[in-house]
Each structure stands twice: as structure tokens, then as C-alpha cells.
Amino acid sequence: MKALIALILLVQLPIHRAVPAAPPAPLGCDDPESEAAAEVAVNYINGHSHHGYKFALNRIEDVRVVSQGPNNDIIFLELDLLETKCPILSPTPLANCTVRSFAEHAVEGDCDVKLQRLDGTISVLASKCHSHADSSEDIRRICPDCPLLASLNNTEVLETVSAALNDFNSKTTGPYLRLLEIGRGQIQYHPAHIVAVEFAVGATNCSAEEAKVNVGACQLLPEDQSNFGFCTGTMVKLPSQDLNVDCQLYGHQVPTPDTPLLARVFQPTSQDTSAGLAPSAVGFTNHNLRLSHHNPLASESSSSEILRSMLSAKSVTKRAVAEAAQHDKVPRPVGFVPPPPPCPGKIRHFDI
């Protein structure tokens, strides 16, 4: 009898079922967590780019967080970047680099980045970027006489780079400089015909005087002594002819194992173009980030699955935005002010 009563009481006890934890609130593009992840992503992108200029964050376009367990999240970011005036080899911290203005024919970078936040530490698993210059039509509407970006293999650009570098080497008392890469070329036709160029250089083991005797023997300094720099040149063709050039060397920098210096990518060859420049230095028609990098040190596989997961996260986010828009069609009380959309985030510089 006692056993039967105990069984009846047991049956009558309320059953407590485990309630699954609510998913975390969606992360907004301007939330501190998103901005912290974006800062890590931008530093990673600049650290693994070997061409052109450093890029700065302009806007967080989208963010998605997928939980992988306790204190372990995967973060997908879609970033809008803008080109700065700091060459990729410049030791200037990104925070001190000036974003190139709209009138200087700005270049925008679009990046998809996958990160992992493990025990509060954020690391990049993979990134994929490309960049493009603003349209000439947009520049012309705002500034009809502003110079426009030209192809890096444009004849006038090549001639100006060659003339500027030769002019500097003929007057310097320092080391003979070799061209590493042409960064930008701009041509203005009105009210004067002006060609402006920017290019990266490296010091060689020859002085400028020694190079006059046997320039073929001048080689870039070895890595433990390497010294890179940057030059700007302006050639006025009309109404009068004039050439101005300025070159600055950065001094020796110690490379890290996973971020090879530009000289490892651009090795001057004996073959010349019509302007006397190494073909490797003018191999790109226009600068493009074209960065696709998988972190070999990441704790997650760096296979093509990473890119597929990025695209999957994008489609899920777009569905969520569409559903939210549909939900907003429901009548709201008078005076109701809807919260601002979580994404895209604020524009830090300008939209192109």
C-alpha cells in the first residue's frame, strides 16, 4: 500500500522540462563587439596585402554571429573600406593614415571576413577582398577639372615614373633606388596637362655614383638590411614643361614570417619595358586588393568551405532583413518610433 501511495504522489508531481536558452540578440553593425571585430579584420587585411596602399574602415555593411558553443563564436563581417595615402610598406600606423579624398579619385574596398571569437580573443579565419575606383562620371560631376586615375600601364604614366626616378637618382647622394611598384597614376588635361604618379622604391647596394658605371650590378639590399620608400612625381607637359619628384626612404623594417615584404614579390628583372621599367613593377593595370587569404594558424579548417559559409551567412541575413521589413508593415501605435536598423552601420568617411 505504501508503495502504491508513493507511486501516485510521484505521478502527480509536476514535470520540469529543460527550456532551451534563447538565442543571443542580433548584433548591430555599430555595436562595440562588431567594431572590435572589424578593427581586427582591417589590421589583418592590411597585414596580408602586398600591393598598393593601406585601407581604412568606412562602414560595416553586415555582421552575423554563429555560436559554436560556450565562449566560442564565428563572426561573419562584410566591410566597406577606403584607400588611404599610406603605402602598404609605410611604417605609419593606420590610425595616422589619411583617407584619400573623393576628389582624388577614391578607391573603395569590399571585403568578406570570417573570424572566431574564442574565450574573448578574436582571430581571423579567412578574408576575401577586391577594390575598385569610383566612376569617372561621379568625379566629373563634383570636380570637372580634377585628375582621373589612369591605367598603371598607361604610356604617359610609365614615362613619368621613369623620368621621375631617373631624375631623383641623378641628383641624390644616397643609395641608388630601384622601382618596386607603381601605386597610382593620374592625368589632368585642363586647364593644364599634368601627369601625377606615386610609386614604391627600394634602396640598392650601389650609390647613385656607382650606378652610373654599372647599373646592372645594383641589387636590392638583402632582407636584413632592406630599406624601402615611396616617391611622388609630377610632370607638367602643357603649357610649360616641368618635372618635380620627391622620394622618402622608411629605413630598415623587420618582416614577420607571415607578412612578406614587397621586395619578395617584386624582384627587378633584366627585361625592360619601353619606359625602362621592370615589367614586374607594372604588372597590374589598376590597383586591386584582390586579397584572398586563409589563416594557416586558425583553429578551424581553411578550405573552400569557409567561403561557402560566408555566402550562406549572407543569404540568411538577407532573409532576416526581408522578414523584418514585412513585420514592420504591421500597424504601430501613434507616436511609435521604431529602433534604427542594426545594419548597415554608420559611414565614417564618405559613400562612393
Side-chain angles (χ1 to χ4, degrees), residues 103-245:
E104 292 174 284
H105 207 158
V107 174
E108 179 184 33
D110 299 308
C111 295
D112 291 320
V113 189
K114 183 176 183 179
L115 309 95
Q116 183 176 36
R117 182 171 56 194
L118 184 61
D119 295 328
T121 301
I122 301 174
S123 58
V124 174
L125 299 178
S127 60
K128 187 174 181 64
C129 300
H130 68 88
S131 60
H132 61 277
D134 192 15
S135 70
S136 300
E137 291 75 14
D138 288 346
I139 304 296
R140 285 283 181 248
R141 277 197 294 269
I142 304 298
C143 183
D145 292 330
C146 283
L148 297 177
L149 279 175
S151 297
L152 299 182
N153 58 1
N154 176 283
T155 301
E156 288 188 281
V157 170
L158 297 180
E159 289 175 347
T160 302
V161 170
S162 182
L165 187 55
N166 288 338
D167 183 72
F168 183 85
N169 277 325
S170 68
K171 298 175 181 177
T172 184
T173 57
Y176 179 80
L177 303 183
R178 275 194 180 277
L179 177 69
L180 294 177
E181 176 188 40
I182 300 175
R184 284 171 70 97
Q186 290 179 271
I187 301 177
Q188 177 179 325
Y189 294 100
H190 302 286
H193 187 177
I194 302 173
V195 183
V197 294
E198 300 178 7
F199 51 97
V201 293
T204 68
N205 57 357
C206 295
S207 67
E209 284 298 318
E210 291 171 335
K212 293 177 182 178
V213 178
N214 184 11
V215 69
C218 300
Q219 302 298 322
L220 288 174
L221 293 173
E223 188 173 294
D224 60 349
Q225 304 172 37
S226 59
N227 189 1
F228 303 108
F230 190 69
C231 300
T232 57
T234 304
M235 179 180 285
V236 180
K237 292 193 167 185
L238 291 173
S240 60
Q241 294 214 352
D242 186 31
L243 176 65
N244 290 295
V245 58

Side-chain angles (χ1 to χ4, degrees), residues 22 30 52 56 77 96 163 165 174 184 190 219 252 261 299 305 314 334 347:
D30 290 332
L77 289 179
N96 296 336
L165 187 55
R184 284 171 70 97
H190 302 286
Q219 302 298 322
H252 176 59
L261 290 176
S299 59
E305 184 64 30
K314 278 189 180 183
V334 176
I347 296 175

Side-chain angles (χ1 to χ4, degrees), residues 319-333 336 338-339:
R319 286 201 304 272
V321 170
E323 291 170 2
Q326 187 68 28
H327 181 67
D328 283 343
K329 293 180 181 179
V330 177
R332 301 292 186 182
F336 172 81

Side-chain angles (χ1 to χ4, degrees), residues 296-348:
L297 304 178
S299 59
E300 186 167 309
S301 169
S302 59
S303 66
S304 59
E305 184 64 30
I306 289 179
L307 179 57
R308 286 196 293 271
S309 59
M310 284 181 178
L311 298 175
S312 175
K314 278 189 180 183
S315 63
V316 170
T317 303
K318 287 180 180 178
R319 286 201 304 272
V321 170
E323 291 170 2
Q326 187 68 28
H327 181 67
D328 283 343
K329 293 180 181 179
V330 177
R332 301 292 186 182
V334 176
F336 172 81
V337 179
C343 284
K346 63 186 176 186
I347 296 175
R348 289 161 172 77

Side-chain angles (χ1 to χ4, degrees), residues 41-58:
V42 173
N43 287 336
Y44 181 89
I45 290 165
N46 285 325
H48 289 82
S49 177
H50 305 138
H51 306 284
Y53 302 83
K54 296 179 182 180
F55 276 75
L57 178 65
N58 187 39

